[in-house]
Amino acid sequence: MRTYIHEIDKYIDHEVTLKGWLVNKRSSGKIIFLEIRDGSGFIQAIITQDGVSKQIWELANTLTQESSLIITGIVSQHPKKPSVFELQVSTIQIINIAQEYPISKKEHGPDFLLNERHLWLRSKRQWAILKVRDVVETAIHQYLHEQFFVRTDSPILTPNACEGTTTLFPVPYFNLGEVYLAQTGQLYIEAAIGSVGRCYDFGPVFRAEKSTTKRHLTEFWMMDAEAAFVEHEENMQIQEELVKAIAKQCLKKCQEEFAILERDTTPLEKMLTQSFRRVTYEEAIPLLHSLGSDIKFGEDLGNDDERLLTKESEVPVFIHKWPKTIKPFYMKRDPENTDLVLNNDLIGIEGAGEIVGGSQREDDYEILLGRIREEGLPEKDYAWYLDLRKYGSVAHSGFGIGVERMVRWMSGTEHIRECIPFPRLVNRMRP
Amino acid sequence: MRTYIHEIDKYIDHEVTLKGWLVNKRSSGKIIFLEIRDGSGFIQAIITQDGVSKQIWELANTLTQESSLIITGIVSQHPKKPSVFELQVSTIQIINIAQEYPISKKEHGPDFLLNERHLWLRSKRQWAILKVRDVVETAIHQYLHEQFFVRTDSPILTPNACEGTTTLFPVPYFNLGEVYLAQTGQLYIEAAIGSVGRCYDFGPVFRAEKSTTKRHLTEFWMMDAEAAFVEHEENMQIQEELVKAIAKQCLKKCQEEFAILERDTTPLEKMLTQSFRRVTYEEAIPLLHSLGSDIKFGEDLGNDDERLLTKESEVPVFIHKWPKTIKPFYMKRDPENTDLVLNNDLIGIEGAGEIVGGSQREDDYEILLGRIREEGLPEKDYAWYLDLRKYGSVAHSGFGIGVERMVRWMSGTEHIRECIPFPRLVNRMRP
C-alpha cells in the first residue's frame, strides 16, 4: 500500500511506503538525509548506516537529484516542530537514477528556466504556485455553483472581434474564411442567461499583444460570469463575495504552499473582515491628482494610478462608472449621467492591479444598435447579439476574472509567467 | 426578495416573486395559464380574472412568448402530483414584450436551429442538456480532486503535432512561425506529474477534420488525466470509477432534466452496480467475427464494431492491449507481447461509442527515442518530452475523456452538436 506525504500525519509510528523523487541529499558521516517529494508534499527521510543493510546504504549513496524511488520506513514526528514529520528509512528501491539535472541550486536566468519549464515545474516554488492555481480555480467553480451559476462553455473559435481587431489571432477555417481566437466569452454567455438565468464560462482566451510586462500573457485563462436580473450594485457585490471566497479557500488549503512562497497572509486575512471600497471614476480623478498623478478626466487608469489608489488600502477598490468614451459598446449607460457607463474595475491590494472587470450590459435594442453603429462595428456580425434585446430583454450584468492575475496576487508571485503551467509570451511558445 | 423556481418547494402557501420569461400561454375563458421559466426551472402560473385587477388581467393578455416579466403570487402544491408546484398569481410586471419569436412549436430543421442557437438554447431540451453538461463537468473535477489529482491547465497554442499533422489548425505566431491549436494536453501533463504527482487538464481541443458525423465537432472539450506510479490495470480502474462517479452525479442532480429529455435512467442505474467488462483486442477480434464483423486483426474498430461489442452489454467495455502499429508512439509496449501496447479504449453502453481512451506511457528513454525515430517525428520538438525519461522516469498512465461525448451519452442526445453551447462544425462557426 502506497501512502501519500500529505496524509502522513495519520501514520505516526507506523511503517509506510512512499513513491516519489529525490529533491536533495545531504550526508553526515553515518547518516544520509534525503528530501523526498511525491507530488502531494515534501518529507525528510533519514537513513542511518546502522539501520539498513550494507546494500541499501550503498544504493542510497548512488542517488542523484531527481532520481525516482520507492522508500519504506517508520513515520516520526519532529521532536520540536509537531507539524513536521520524518521518515526513519528501513529500505529503498531505486526506480530510475536521474542524469545530471540541469536545474541546480544556483540562480538561473528566466530564459533558461522557461526553456526548462517542463522540469522547472518540479521546483518547490513552482509546485506551490501550481497548487495555489488549482485552489483558485476550484474556489471559483465552487462559489459560482453555490450562487446558482451554471457553467456554459463559450466557443474559442469566433467570428466576432469583441475587444478590437488589432490584438486578435486569426485562424483559417475550412471554406468559411478566417475566424479568431476568443478574447472573452461574454457575448455568448449573455445569450445563455436566457436559458439558465445565471452562468459562467471558464477557458483560455488569447491576446496577440506585443506587451512584455509582468502582467501579460498571449494565452491566459478567464472566467466570465453573467446573470439575468442583476444590476450594477449587485454585480459589484457578487464580485466582492467571489474574490473573498477565493482568498478564503486559499487561506484554508494553501498554508504549506504559502510557507514555501514566503507569502505573508496577513493582508488577505485583514481583507476578509472588511467591505471593499467603492470609488466612482469621477471621485477617483481628483483623488489621484491629490496623490500626485497627472491623469486627465477621460483617460484610462495606468498601472501607477492603480497603485496609488490602493497603496494605503487594506481592501480592493472598485473604480466604477467610467466615461463611456473609453469603454466598449455593450456597457449600459448610467441613467443619472449618460456620459458614464455602469461598469467597474476592481483593483486588488498588494500591487495586484486590475483583477476583475465588470459591467451592467445595455439591454435596450435601439440604444445598443446605436452604439454598434457609432463604433462602426459590422452590424451583421452582431445581429444575433441584438436578438437578445428583441426577445424578452432583461437587466443583466457580468464580469470577468483573469485567472493568472488572481493566482499571481494570491500566491504573491512577481511575474505572471510563473502563474500558468506553460506560459505563452510574445517571444515564447515552447516547450 | 426574489425566489428561484428550483427552491419553490420551500414556499408552499407563501407569496413569492419570480423573475423570468414566458414559455407558453393558454387561455381558457376566465383563466390564463402561463408557463414561466427563470433559468433554475419551470413553473405554471395561474391568473384568474376574478383574482387580479382589470389592469393586470389585460396586461397578462398582451404577453407574448419569451416576454420577460416579474410575477408575484402564492405557491400551491399540485393536488395530484406533490412534486409539481403552481403559482396563484396576484400581480405581474412586464419587463419586455418579446417580438414575434422565430422558434415556434412546429418542427424546425437543424440548420435553422443552429443559426438561431443563441435563442434555441432557451428551449426545454437545450436547457436540460446545458444543465447535464454542467453536472458532468463538475463531477469530473470533483472526482479527480477526491483522488488527489491537481488541475494543471495545458497550453492551447503548441508547436507539437501530437496526434498527426493532417487535422491541425495552424495559427501564425508573431515572429516564431506557425503554432497549432492543441489536440490534447497529454504530453504537458506528463511533465506536470513530476511536480504534482497526479494531475489533469480540462480545456478546448481542436480537430480540423472534415467529418460530419453525429459524434464529431471541430472544437470540443477534453479532460486529460495523468498519474505517476499508475500502471495499466489501475489506469482502467480509475477510468471506471470516474465514469461511474459522473453517472452517479447525473442521476442525483438531473432528475428533472432527464424527465424533460425522456431519458430512461435504468441502464445507468444498472451499470453502477456492476464491474465494467475487460476484453483484450486479441479477444475482441474473434468475438467480433462471431458477431458478424469482417474486421481484420490489426485494424481499428469501426463504429459498427463498437456497437456489436456493447449491444447486449449492461456495462461499458474496455478494449485493451491493441497492436502497437495502429497506436501512437508514446504508448508503452506490453512486456508480455511487444507487438501490443498497454492501452485501452472504453466503449460506453446505449450506443455511446468510445468515451475514454487511455494508456500506460513509455517510460524508457531509449525505447521512446526509438519509437519517435521509427515514426519519423521531429526529434528536436520532442526533446523536452524525452527529458522526462532522463530525470527520474517513473511508470505512469493517463487517459482522456471527450466531454461532449460523455454529455451526449448521459443526456441521451442523438447529435453531439446539441451537447456544446455553441457548436463549431466543418460548415459552421456562427453565431
Side-chain angles (χ1 to χ4, degrees):
Chain A
M1 254 294 283
R2 175 196 181 179
T3 302
Y4 287 94
I5 295 173
H6 73 119
E7 53 184 2
I8 205 92
D9 58 338
K10 296 183 200 141
Y11 297 93
I12 299 170
D13 297 332
H14 286 78
E15 187 178 86
V16 298
T17 295
L18 306 177
K19 298 182 176 184
W21 295 267
L22 180 67
V23 179
N24 194 25
K25 184 175 77 176
R26 284 185 300 124
S27 296
S28 161
K30 296 190 168 189
I31 305 181
I32 302 173
F33 299 95
L34 306 176
E35 190 183 10
I36 306 290
R37 73 160 192 279
D38 71 352
S40 81
F42 299 82
I43 195 168
Q44 179 161 270
I46 298 164
I47 306 180
T48 56
Q49 193 166 1
D50 299 344
V52 294
S53 70
K54 195 175 168 226
Q55 189 207 359
I56 295 294
W57 179 253
E58 281 167 6
L59 260 186
N61 273 297
T62 68
L63 282 170
T64 54
Q65 186 190 347
E66 289 305 317
S67 292
S68 46
L69 71 170
I70 300 171
I71 190 162
T72 300
I74 306 281
V75 178
S76 64
Q77 205 161 10
H78 191 286
K80 285 171 193 162
K81 301 173 197 155
S83 69
V84 174
F85 302 91
E86 292 176 335
L87 195 72
Q88 310 294 331
V89 176
S90 53
T91 185
I92 58 174
Q93 181 193 334
I94 294 175
I95 301 172
N96 178 261
I97 290 287
Q99 299 182 24
E100 196 183 349
Y101 195 60
I103 303 178
S104 55
K105 264 178 271 178
K106 70 165 191 197
E107 282 279 316
H108 294 285
D111 244 19
F112 174 84
L113 289 171
L114 286 167
N115 283 334
E116 306 291 337
R117 183 62 174 168
H118 54 294
L119 303 175
W120 186 26
L121 287 176
R122 303 180 180 190
S123 82
K124 258 189 194 175
R125 269 193 67 85
Q126 300 305 315
W127 173 84
I129 297 171
L130 285 181
K131 295 284 301 288
V132 171
R133 182 180 169 102
D134 182 26
V135 171
V136 166
E137 294 187 336
T138 304
I140 292 173
H141 292 288
Q142 189 185 328
Y143 172 81
L144 290 172
H145 278 129
E146 283 167 8
Q147 302 299 316
F148 314 139
F149 284 78
V150 175
R151 177 174 177 161
T152 55
D153 300 297
S154 296
I156 310 301
L157 300 174
T158 159
N160 293 94
C162 184
E163 307 263 334
T165 53
T166 54
T167 58
L168 288 168
F169 285 107
V171 183
Y173 195 80
F174 303 107
N175 303 324
L176 300 181
E178 271 183 350
V179 295
Y180 304 105
L181 299 181
Q183 300 197 323
T184 165
Q186 180 201 314
L187 304 194
Y188 291 98
I189 57 170
E190 280 190 63
I193 58 166
S195 175
V196 294
R198 309 179 132 211
C199 59
Y200 72 103
D201 64 21
F202 192 103
V205 292
F206 303 84
R207 298 264 160 104
E209 212 171 337
K210 293 202 170 156
S211 305
T212 52
T213 79
K214 289 176 182 168
R215 294 197 300 176
H216 284 88
L217 296 163
T218 56
E219 172 185 318
F220 57 101
W221 286 68
M222 182 96 141
M223 186 287 305
D224 297 293
E226 195 74 27
F229 305 105
V230 165
E231 303 187 24
H232 178 56
E233 282 295 324
E234 189 182 355
N235 192 35
M236 291 195 286
Q237 199 54 44
I238 296 172
Q239 292 168 52
E240 175 168 341
E241 282 169 20
L242 174 53
V243 170
K244 285 180 171 170
I246 294 168
K248 218 167 159 180
Q249 286 297 314
C250 288
L251 288 169
K252 187 175 158 195
K253 294 183 180 167
C254 298
Q255 285 307 319
E256 184 183 355
E257 291 79 357
F258 285 152
I260 290 169
L261 296 164
E262 296 172 316
R263 199 244 191 272
D264 175 9
T265 55
T266 321
L268 295 181
E269 283 151 20
K270 276 191 184 163
M271 175 186 90
L272 285 181
T273 61
Q274 301 171 63
S275 290
F276 292 2
R277 269 171 66 208
R278 296 181 185 200
V279 179
T280 65
Y281 179 90
E282 284 180 317
E283 292 162 350
I285 298 301
L287 185 59
L288 280 166
H289 289 162
S290 75
L291 294 166
S293 169
D294 57 1
I295 189 172
K296 291 184 190 66
F297 192 97
E299 287 180 352
D300 204 352
L301 267 64
N303 288 350
D304 291 344
D305 298 316
E306 291 177 357
R307 213 168 295 130
L308 283 174
L309 284 171
T310 49
K311 209 171 59 175
E312 308 280 309
S313 182
E314 291 192 343
V315 289
V317 180
F318 284 105
I319 316 292
H320 65 124
K321 297 190 178 179
W322 292 52
K324 74 169 186 189
T325 47
I326 52 169
K327 287 293 165 187
F329 73 95
Y330 51 73
M331 293 184 178
K332 189 177 176 68
R333 284 194 251 174
D334 183 356
E336 290 169 17
N337 178 349
T338 55
D339 289 336
L340 305 177
V341 287
L342 295 174
N343 78 315
N344 70 267
D345 280 2
L346 178 60
I347 318 297
I349 51 171
E350 305 180 276
E354 184 196 334
I355 46 161
V356 192
S359 71
Q360 186 168 343
R361 320 306 190 182
E362 185 52 69
D363 51 73
D364 182 274
Y365 178 83
E366 294 298 337
I367 295 174
L368 187 65
L369 180 62
R371 292 287 292 122
I372 286 171
R373 286 177 178 164
E374 265 169 55
E375 301 272 332
L377 293 166
E379 216 172 299
K380 203 174 125 270
D381 283 357
Y382 291 93
W384 69 270
Y385 185 65
L386 283 159
D387 269 1
L388 309 177
R389 280 70 181 172
K390 280 190 199 166
Y391 308 109
S393 191
V394 297
H396 63 289
S397 303
F399 58 90
I401 291 187
V403 172
E404 287 76 15
R405 288 195 178 181
M406 188 61 79
V407 174
R408 178 172 173 262
W409 174 25
M410 288 298 134
S411 63
T413 304
E414 193 189 345
H415 206 299
I416 201 159
R417 67 184 170 220
E418 295 181 37
C419 299
I420 185 165
F422 292 91
R424 297 303 184 234
L425 309 165
V426 176
N427 56 359
R428 172 165 300 278
M429 46 73 150
R430 285 174 196 276
Chain B
M1 254 294 283
R2 175 195 182 179
T3 302
Y4 288 94
I5 294 172
H6 72 120
E7 52 183 4
I8 205 91
D9 59 338
K10 297 182 199 141
Y11 297 92
I12 299 170
D13 296 333
H14 286 78
E15 185 178 85
V16 298
T17 295
L18 307 177
K19 297 181 176 185
W21 294 267
L22 180 67
V23 178
N24 195 23
K25 185 174 75 175
R26 285 187 296 126
S27 297
S28 162
K30 296 190 167 192
I31 305 183
I32 302 172
F33 298 95
L34 305 175
E35 191 184 9
I36 305 291
R37 72 161 193 277
D38 71 352
S40 80
F42 299 82
I43 195 168
Q44 178 161 271
I46 299 164
I47 306 180
T48 57
Q49 193 168 2
D50 300 342
V52 296
S53 70
K54 197 178 166 221
Q55 189 205 358
I56 294 293
W57 178 255
E58 281 167 5
L59 260 186
N61 273 297
T62 68
L63 282 170
T64 54
Q65 186 191 346
E66 289 304 316
S67 292
S68 46
L69 72 169
I70 300 172
I71 190 162
T72 301
I74 306 282
V75 180
S76 64
Q77 208 161 8
H78 191 285
K80 286 171 193 164
K81 303 172 196 157
S83 69
V84 173
F85 302 91
E86 292 176 333
L87 195 72
Q88 308 295 331
V89 178
S90 53
T91 185
I92 58 174
Q93 182 193 333
I94 294 175
I95 302 172
N96 179 260
I97 291 286
Q99 298 181 27
E100 196 183 348
Y101 195 59
I103 303 178
S104 56
K105 264 177 272 177
K106 68 165 191 191
E107 282 279 315
H108 295 285
D111 244 20
F112 174 84
L113 290 171
L114 286 166
N115 283 334
E116 305 291 336
R117 184 63 173 166
H118 54 295
L119 302 175
W120 186 25
L121 287 176
R122 302 180 180 190
S123 81
K124 259 189 194 176
R125 270 193 67 86
Q126 300 306 314
W127 173 84
I129 297 171
L130 285 180
K131 294 283 299 293
V132 171
R133 182 180 169 104
D134 182 26
V135 170
V136 166
E137 295 188 335
T138 304
I140 291 173
H141 292 289
Q142 190 186 327
Y143 172 82
L144 289 171
H145 277 130
E146 283 167 9
Q147 302 299 315
F148 313 140
F149 285 77
V150 175
R151 176 174 177 161
T152 56
D153 301 297
S154 296
I156 310 301
L157 299 174
T158 159
N160 294 95
C162 185
E163 307 265 334
T165 52
T166 54
T167 57
L168 289 167
F169 285 107
V171 183
Y173 195 80
F174 303 107
N175 303 323
L176 301 179
E178 270 183 351
V179 295
Y180 303 105
L181 298 182
Q183 299 197 324
T184 165
Q186 180 202 314
L187 304 193
Y188 291 98
I189 58 171
E190 279 191 63
I193 58 167
S195 175
V196 295
R198 312 179 131 210
C199 59
Y200 72 102
D201 63 22
F202 193 102
V205 292
F206 303 85
R207 297 265 160 102
E209 212 171 334
K210 293 201 172 158
S211 304
T212 51
T213 79
K214 290 177 182 169
R215 294 197 301 177
H216 284 88
L217 295 163
T218 57
E219 172 184 318
F220 56 101
W221 286 69
M222 181 97 140
M223 186 288 305
D224 297 294
E226 196 74 28
F229 305 105
V230 165
E231 303 186 24
H232 178 57
E233 281 295 325
E234 190 183 353
N235 192 35
M236 289 194 287
Q237 199 53 45
I238 296 171
Q239 292 167 52
E240 175 169 341
E241 282 169 20
L242 173 53
V243 169
K244 285 180 170 170
I246 294 168
K248 217 166 160 180
Q249 286 297 314
C250 287
L251 288 169
K252 187 174 157 194
K253 294 183 179 167
C254 298
Q255 284 308 318
E256 184 184 354
E257 291 80 357
F258 285 152
I260 289 169
L261 295 164
E262 296 172 311
R263 197 238 192 278
D264 176 9
T265 56
T266 321
L268 295 180
E269 281 150 22
K270 276 192 183 162
M271 173 186 93
L272 284 180
T273 60
Q274 301 171 64
S275 290
F276 291 2
R277 268 171 66 208
R278 297 181 185 200
V279 179
T280 64
Y281 179 90
E282 284 180 317
E283 292 162 351
I285 298 300
L287 186 58
L288 280 167
H289 289 163
S290 76
L291 294 167
S293 169
D294 57 0
I295 189 170
K296 294 187 187 64
F297 193 96
E299 288 180 349
D300 203 350
L301 267 63
N303 288 351
D304 290 344
D305 298 316
E306 291 176 358
R307 214 167 296 130
L308 283 174
L309 284 171
T310 48
K311 210 172 56 175
E312 308 281 308
S313 183
E314 291 192 343
V315 290
V317 180
F318 285 104
I319 316 291
H320 65 123
K321 297 191 177 178
W322 291 52
K324 73 169 185 189
T325 47
I326 52 169
K327 286 292 166 189
F329 73 95
Y330 52 72
M331 292 184 176
K332 189 176 177 71
R333 283 194 253 175
D334 183 358
E336 288 167 19
N337 178 349
T338 55
D339 290 334
L340 306 177
V341 287
L342 295 174
N343 78 317
N344 70 270
D345 281 1
L346 178 60
I347 317 297
I349 53 172
E350 305 179 275
E354 184 198 334
I355 46 160
V356 192
S359 71
Q360 187 168 343
R361 322 305 189 181
E362 186 50 70
D363 52 74
D364 182 274
Y365 179 82
E366 294 299 338
I367 294 174
L368 186 65
L369 180 61
R371 291 289 291 123
I372 286 172
R373 286 178 178 163
E374 265 170 56
E375 300 272 333
L377 293 166
E379 216 172 300
K380 202 171 127 272
D381 283 357
Y382 291 95
W384 69 270
Y385 185 65
L386 283 159
D387 268 2
L388 309 177
R389 280 69 180 172
K390 279 189 198 167
Y391 308 109
S393 192
V394 297
H396 63 290
S397 303
F399 57 92
I401 291 187
V403 172
E404 287 76 14
R405 288 196 180 181
M406 188 60 79
V407 174
R408 179 172 173 263
W409 174 25
M410 288 298 135
S411 63
T413 304
E414 192 189 346
H415 206 300
I416 202 160
R417 67 186 169 218
E418 295 181 37
C419 299
I420 185 166
F422 293 90
R424 298 303 184 233
L425 309 165
V426 176
N427 56 358
R428 172 165 300 278
M429 46 73 148
R430 289 173 192 275

